[in-house]
Amino acid sequence: MAGLKGRDLLSLANFSPTEVQELLQMASQLKSQQLRLRCNKVLGLLFSKASTRTRVSFTVAMYQLGGQVIDLNPNVTQVSRGEPVQDTARVLDRYLDILAIRTFEQQELEIFANYTKIPVINALTDLEHPCQVLADLMTVQECFGSCTGLTLTYVGDGNNVANSLLLGCALVGMNVRVATPNGYEPNAAILETARSIASGKTEVILTHDPEAATKGAHAIYTDVWASMGQEEEADDRKQVFRPYQVNDRLLSLADPKAIVLHCLPAHRGEEITDEVMEGSQSQIWNQAENRMHVQKALLASLLGAEKI
């Protein structure tokens, strides 16, 4: 993966299909301990949004590579006092080897990338969540042996996860269907980019019909109806999204061997029922674990880790 050394991951569209497949293969080898890597570097975590899985998985991944982690909470740095992003970026560039940023605006991430020479990773913005989707693809691959030719259906809000799923599925040759209420569709430009990547070889479908989208699908995916920053809309969204709940009835329309995915945290009883989440088709906990493995592969690739 020498070709990724020193690069940024701002969007899954930054990577080629071959690079994504190689990352997933490396993550699988790291998980099984067929491959052992060492990277004595320093990762900075600059998180403006609350985090459990992203923070812990990145931290553990870096420690397991033999590196160090600095938690750059904006509340205890000058960022919270209005220091310009470009000034913070140029200083951190001289201290750190790599930086993972979890924030609201994609533009902030791009400013950091423009003002630093070190790799910058999108650990979540309102536009995309690429690290999550790498773990999702790894989970599908574990369950079915390959992503190629399968169908993943996402039901719910056309948010950052939906955006990255469109790109990720297109990159690995998987059909993707996104079912959202009218007015809650994923980003139009990303949808077109995904269709361009797919080049007619796989389906990239946007619909408002969750049942049609679910028929025969191999993976059923959902996320919360109100993301961080949308809490004031939560009650209104519950009414709009109620027909998009992943429950036993909807799951029965999918392939009999279909798996259920959720990026967490989940609001049980809203976007997904407790029965489905705890059911035999749920791969949610393996999916969460795989965040650590794909991020370890990503860190190792961007930093040029050595075999041990």
Side-chain angles (χ1 to χ4, degrees):
M1 293 297 288
L4 291 186
K5 186 177 180 180
R7 286 170 54 184
D8 299 321
L9 173 57
L10 308 184
S11 164
L12 277 181
N14 296 151
F15 289 173
S16 70
T18 299
E19 288 166 341
V20 171
Q21 290 288 3
E22 288 178 350
L23 267 175
L24 297 179
Q25 182 180 5
M26 180 186 290
S28 179
Q29 291 173 336
L30 288 166
K31 183 176 182 178
S32 65
Q33 298 188 355
Q34 290 177 302
L35 178 65
R36 297 176 67 85
L37 298 173
R38 184 162 186 85
C39 188
N40 187 23
K41 302 290 185 178
V42 181
L43 165 68
L45 300 180
L46 184 59
F47 285 14
S48 300
K49 286 189 172 187
S51 172
T52 299
R53 279 149 293 279
T54 304
R55 184 186 302 279
V56 177
S57 58
F58 262 115
T59 300
V60 174
M62 196 66 201
Y63 284 157
Q64 289 185 357
L65 288 170
Q68 302 292 319
V69 180
I70 298 178
D71 190 347
L72 301 164
N73 187 326
N75 293 327
V76 295
T77 64
Q78 296 294 345
V79 172
S80 65
R81 299 181 65 245
E83 182 175 35
V85 172
Q86 58 266 37
D87 293 359
T88 301
R90 283 181 284 197
V91 172
L92 294 180
D93 185 51
R94 296 175 181 234
Y95 295 154
L96 303 171
D97 297 299
I98 192 166
L99 180 62
I101 300 175
R102 184 177 173 94
T103 189
F104 293 88
E105 295 293 333
Q106 184 81 7
Q107 183 181 9
E108 181 179 336
L109 190 75
E110 293 168 356
I111 292 172
F112 268 98
N114 287 335
Y115 282 90
T116 59
K117 297 176 183 177
I118 61 173
V120 174
I121 297 173
N122 181 349
L124 179 144
T125 65
D126 287 348
L127 185 64
E128 277 203 55
H129 199 353
C131 293
Q132 173 65 57
V133 170
L134 287 172
D136 303 337
L137 298 176
M138 179 181 178
T139 307
V140 173
Q141 194 164 279
E142 283 181 336
C143 293
F144 295 97
S146 171
C147 294
T148 306
L150 300 179
T151 297
L152 181 145
T153 293
Y154 175 89
V155 181
D157 186 26
N159 59 15
N160 48 6
V161 172
N163 289 334
S164 288
L165 279 170
L166 285 165
L167 296 171
C169 290
L171 284 164
V172 298
M174 185 158 53
N175 302 311
V176 57
R177 305 169 185 164
V178 175
T180 70
N182 188 34
Y184 294 89
E185 297 86 356
N187 181 275
I190 288 179
L191 178 63
E192 288 309 307
T193 299
R195 286 175 171 161
S196 176
I197 293 169
S199 299
K201 297 175 184 177
T202 57
E203 294 180 339
V204 179
I205 294 174
L206 176 62
T207 179
H208 302 303
D209 187 340
E211 294 188 2
T214 302
K215 288 181 180 177
H218 302 93
I220 310 301
Y221 198 126
T222 191
D223 191 8
V224 294
W225 292 338
S227 299
M228 285 177 283
Q230 299 173 333
E231 288 81 4
E232 292 183 358
E233 304 174 30
D235 289 340
D236 292 336
R237 282 172 170 258
K238 286 178 185 178
Q239 302 304 316
V240 174
F241 282 94
R242 199 167 301 282
Y244 293 80
Q245 183 185 72
V246 175
N247 49 37
D248 286 332
R249 181 188 59 78
L250 190 68
L251 186 56
S252 70
L253 301 174
D255 185 274
K257 295 182 180 179
I259 61 173
V260 175
L261 301 173
H262 193 304
C263 54
L264 300 176
H267 292 173
R268 297 175 184 235
E270 292 183 13
E271 75 275 2
I272 189 169
T273 62
D274 193 72
E275 291 76 17
V276 170
M277 193 164 179
E278 297 292 348
S280 61
Q281 293 171 270
S282 173
Q283 286 291 323
I284 292 170
W285 315 116
N286 290 331
Q287 176 190 8
E289 178 190 340
N290 285 340
R291 290 292 304 279
M292 180 179 66
H293 303 300
V294 295
Q295 285 159 195
K296 190 190 298 183
L298 181 63
L299 291 167
S301 299
L302 299 182
L303 290 168
E306 299 178 349
K307 289 185 179 180
I308 56 173

